[in-house]
């Protein structure tokens, strides 16, 4: 018995000593101690934990009581604080606002460590990311897309504004495709500009969408699609195995028999005619759609913030100067013909139905001129029935999966990037506490507001 006790003591001592040796202050190492971790991977909270960070990654996660730290290691006591993964906004448009750098900085200090930009000039995103990497700009990392569309979308002014120096439809990041297009070249050209995925926007047939998705996936690119890519329906995108389906409003066209040929045409003529108020989200067509989304691992990004009457009636988060040069004014004018209250209600109902059926939900705001905060989207998702932790997961791990960076981002886990948000209050007790940002870590560097 005595020998057994000695063996146990030696084993415990060896383990603790090994841990202590591992916690050396090599490179840029420090420890966050006594915190509660919100573990989105396992849907739980872990109390009294210590995270060891070395350089830009999480090296270890252990109970504070079970770890011995080197005396010369920088220790940050977060007693009473809560740690969530760095937030990700999976739907932004940074091309239009001129104060992009200011916006990226505000997003970072609010807790958003990464964004997925859904259409614009790749040259701008390349430049911004370089400034961030070089340390000349404190901002969220940008994962951006190439916009793909058919001939009818050439009428949209964005095909010119986002591709200055190119003929409309010929820029690698703003590309026209037809049945005669060499899709392999289109995909290769887009990838060379540094895009993470292709955003399929409008006027792409089901057959062409299927071929495009196959080529993109072979080249390691994601395919991010509008829920309706007129004339293609949501089910056409799902059958093509796109990676993410965006916009709850477009889901209603799954029931449409006469699909418009273009996005702009649908906004002007078809969307105002849809019966958002009375359409049943439990119709067989939607149930079948959700089942296919689950089987194909397709993520649904409803962008509730884009239609929320709650946010629309609140004060703007940023100045509105950029609206004076709105290149899509014709689309804004069409909104006057729509029942926005019914559309907001529909957006929530179809999101709830998809979630209840087991579809993975992502959190994107779809901001283009003024900042929309992903915290608002998290709260709106919570109002749709997502639990507090599932709402947070939508803006962290699920968004990382939407981008394709889930192996390095999206959760508080060993080996992942040290992208963390420190909250003063527990978001699992009240989802509004997602706004109580105390500090932010991106790649192991702290960003803390001083105002």
């Amino acid at each position: 018995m005595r020998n057994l006790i000695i063996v146990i003591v030696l084993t415990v001592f060896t383990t603790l000593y090994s841990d202590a040796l591992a916690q050396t202050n090599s490179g840029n190492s420090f420890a966050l101690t006594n915190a509660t971790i919100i573990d989105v991977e396992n849907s739980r909270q872990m109390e009294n934990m210590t995270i060891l960070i070395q350089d830009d990654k999480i090296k270890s996660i252990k109970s504070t009581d079970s770890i011995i730290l080197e005396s010369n290691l920088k220790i940050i006591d977060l007693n009473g604080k809560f740690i969530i993964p760095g937030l990700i906004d999976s739907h932004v448009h940074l091309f239009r606002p001129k104060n992009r750098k200011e916006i990226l900085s505000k997003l970072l200090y609010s807790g958003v460590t990464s964004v997925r930009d859904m259409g614009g000039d790749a040259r701008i995103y390349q430049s911004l990311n370089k400034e961030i990497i070089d340390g000349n700009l404190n901002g969220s990392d940008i994962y951006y897309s190439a916009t793909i569309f058919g001939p009818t979308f050439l009428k949209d002014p964005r095909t010119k504004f986002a591709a200055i120096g190119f003929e409309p439809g010929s820029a690698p990041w703003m590309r026209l495709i037809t049945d005669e297009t060499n899709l392999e070249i289109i995909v290769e050209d887009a990838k060379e500009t540094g895009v993470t995925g292709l955003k399929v926007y409008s006027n792409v047939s089901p057959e062409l969408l299927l071929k495009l998705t196959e080529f993109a996936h072979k080249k390691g690119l994601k395919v991010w699609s509008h829920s309706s890519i007129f004339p293609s329906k949501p089910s056409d995108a799902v059958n093509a195995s796109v990676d993410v389906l965006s916009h709850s409003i477009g889901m209603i066209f799954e029931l449409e028999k006469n699909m418009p040929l273009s996005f702009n045409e649908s906004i002007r003529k078809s969307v105002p005619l849809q019966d958002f108020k009375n359409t049943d989200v439990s119709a067989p067509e939607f149930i079948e759609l959700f089942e296919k989304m689950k089987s194909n691992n397709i993520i649904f990004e409803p962008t509730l913030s884009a239609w929320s009457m709650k946010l629309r009636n609140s004060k703007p988060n940023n100045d509105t100067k950029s609206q004076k040069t709105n290149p899509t004014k014709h689309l804004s004018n069409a909104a006057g013909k729509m029942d926005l209250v019914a559309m907001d209600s529909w957006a929530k109902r179809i999101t709830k139905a998809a979630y209840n059926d087991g579809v993975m939900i992502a959190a994107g705001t779809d901001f283009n001129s003024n900042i929309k905060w992903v915290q608002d989207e998290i709260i709106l998702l919570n109002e749709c029935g997502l639990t507090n932790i599932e709402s947070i997961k939508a803006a962290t791990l699920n968004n990382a999966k939407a981008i394709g960076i889930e192996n390095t981002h999206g959760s508080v886990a060993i080996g992942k990037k040290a992208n963390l948000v420190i909250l003063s209050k527990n978001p699992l007790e009240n989802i509004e506490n997602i706004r109580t940002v105390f500090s932010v870590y991106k790649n192991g560097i702290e960003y803390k507001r001083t105002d």
Side-chain angles (χ1 to χ4, degrees):
M1 183 66 181
R2 183 172 177 272
N3 290 337
L4 177 61
I5 293 173
I6 292 173
V7 170
I8 293 173
V9 170
L10 286 174
T11 301
V12 171
F13 177 79
T14 301
T15 301
L16 291 174
Y17 182 69
S18 297
D19 281 345
L21 288 177
Q23 319 311 325
T24 57
N25 196 13
S26 59
N28 176 33
S29 296
F30 60 96
L32 306 176
T33 66
N34 300 315
T36 296
I37 297 173
I38 306 302
D39 178 8
V40 295
E41 288 189 13
N42 300 293
S43 298
R44 61 179 178 173
Q45 68 177 36
M46 304 164 63
E47 299 177 357
N48 195 29
M49 302 298 293
T50 289
I51 301 175
L52 180 68
I53 295 172
Q54 183 169 333
D55 298 324
D56 63 341
K57 292 185 177 65
I58 296 173
K59 186 175 181 181
S60 73
I61 302 173
K62 293 182 180 293
S63 169
T64 300
D65 296 333
S66 68
I67 191 170
I68 299 175
L69 299 172
E70 285 287 302
S71 58
N72 63 337
L73 184 70
K74 180 181 179 181
I75 297 175
I76 301 172
D77 188 353
L78 295 178
N79 185 35
K81 300 294 191 296
F82 302 83
I83 302 178
I84 64 171
L87 296 172
I88 303 171
D89 189 337
S90 66
H91 203 126
V92 306
H93 294 277
L94 290 166
F95 171 67
R96 278 178 55 191
K98 302 302 181 184
N99 58 333
R100 303 179 192 102
K101 295 181 182 181
E102 178 187 351
I103 286 174
L104 282 168
S105 182
K106 285 184 177 181
L107 288 174
L108 176 59
Y109 282 91
S110 79
V112 177
T113 53
S114 304
V115 297
R116 181 179 69 138
D117 192 286
M118 294 296 282
D121 192 328
R123 294 168 294 189
I124 290 174
Y125 308 135
Q126 291 170 349
S127 176
L128 290 170
N129 274 337
K130 186 177 187 305
E131 287 195 57
I132 292 169
I133 292 171
D134 292 344
N136 298 320
L137 172 62
N138 295 336
S140 313
D141 290 331
I142 308 167
Y143 298 87
Y144 53 96
S145 62
T147 304
I148 308 295
F149 50 87
T152 62
F153 193 65
L154 282 174
K155 298 178 181 178
D156 192 292
R158 286 171 288 181
T159 62
K160 298 178 182 178
F161 295 130
I164 294 175
F166 289 81
E167 284 293 319
S170 68
W173 58 86
M174 187 65 61
R175 205 63 176 258
L176 164 69
I177 64 171
T178 67
D179 291 335
E180 287 71 44
T181 299
N182 186 324
L183 297 179
E184 188 170 9
I185 291 178
I186 295 293
V187 172
E188 288 177 349
D189 286 350
K191 187 171 184 177
E192 287 182 3
T193 68
V195 305
T196 303
L198 306 180
K199 177 186 179 180
V200 189
Y201 200 102
S202 174
N203 194 217
V204 177
S205 69
E207 297 77 18
L208 196 54
L209 177 60
L210 178 60
K211 293 178 183 178
L212 179 69
T213 303
E214 289 176 350
F215 277 113
H217 285 166
K218 286 180 182 178
K219 294 296 182 179
L221 293 181
K222 294 287 188 181
V223 178
W224 304 322
S225 169
H226 271 194
S227 49
S228 287
I229 323 160
F230 311 98
S232 296
K233 293 183 177 184
S235 55
D236 294 320
V238 170
N239 291 335
S241 293
V242 303
D243 297 286
V244 182
L245 214 58
S246 293
H247 302 310
S248 49
I249 296 302
M251 297 291 272
I252 201 169
F253 281 93
E254 184 61 27
L255 305 180
E256 181 62 51
K257 295 180 179 179
N258 300 307
M259 286 287 284
L261 292 178
S262 71
F263 170 76
N264 289 19
E265 179 187 346
S266 72
I267 293 292
R268 290 193 304 268
K269 299 179 181 179
S270 300
V271 173
L273 298 179
Q274 299 300 312
D275 190 358
F276 290 101
K277 184 176 181 179
N278 298 306
T279 299
D280 184 5
V281 297
S282 62
E285 292 86 349
F286 294 123
I287 299 302
E288 182 179 357
L289 182 66
F290 298 149
E291 290 299 318
K292 287 183 178 179
M293 291 178 73
K294 285 193 299 182
S295 63
N296 291 348
N297 296 315
I298 295 172
I299 299 172
F300 180 39
E301 184 218 12
T303 59
L304 298 171
S305 298
W307 302 100
S308 172
M309 298 305 295
K310 176 180 175 182
L311 300 183
R312 190 179 297 271
N313 294 329
S314 64
K315 294 181 180 179
N317 290 310
N318 200 4
D319 65 75
T320 57
K321 293 178 182 178
S322 57
Q323 293 180 348
K324 295 179 181 179
T325 56
N326 184 356
T328 55
K329 186 178 180 180
H330 62 298
L331 300 182
S332 300
N333 292 339
K337 303 177 184 178
M338 302 176 189
D339 185 346
L340 298 181
V341 173
M343 292 171 74
D344 179 27
S345 175
W346 161 265
K348 293 176 181 176
R349 289 189 291 117
I350 196 68
T351 299
K352 182 176 182 178
Y355 170 71
N356 287 341
D357 206 78
V359 175
M360 185 179 296
I361 307 295
T365 61
D366 196 18
F367 85 68
N368 47 49
S369 295
N370 308 316
I371 296 178
K372 292 178 183 175
W373 306 104
V374 75
Q375 287 90 339
D376 289 333
E377 187 75 14
I378 291 171
I379 293 168
L380 290 172
L381 288 171
N382 186 244
E383 293 173 358
C384 288
L386 277 70
T387 64
N388 289 26
I389 199 162
E390 286 291 337
S391 301
I392 297 168
K393 188 176 181 179
T396 53
L397 186 58
N398 292 0
N399 276 350
K401 290 178 178 179
I403 296 171
I405 55 173
E406 67 273 18
N407 291 331
T408 53
H409 296 70
S411 61
V412 183
I414 296 172
K416 287 196 174 185
K417 290 285 188 180
N419 288 2
L420 309 167
V421 181
I422 315 302
L423 302 176
S424 297
K425 297 181 180 179
N426 192 347
L428 300 190
E429 292 181 356
N430 185 340
I431 197 62
E432 288 283 349
N433 291 338
I434 198 72
R435 305 186 195 276
T436 63
V437 177
F438 175 76
S439 65
V440 179
Y441 287 87
K442 177 177 171 242
N443 297 332
I445 299 174
E446 185 181 27
Y447 299 87
K448 190 173 183 180
R449 293 175 60 175
T450 56
D451 55 355

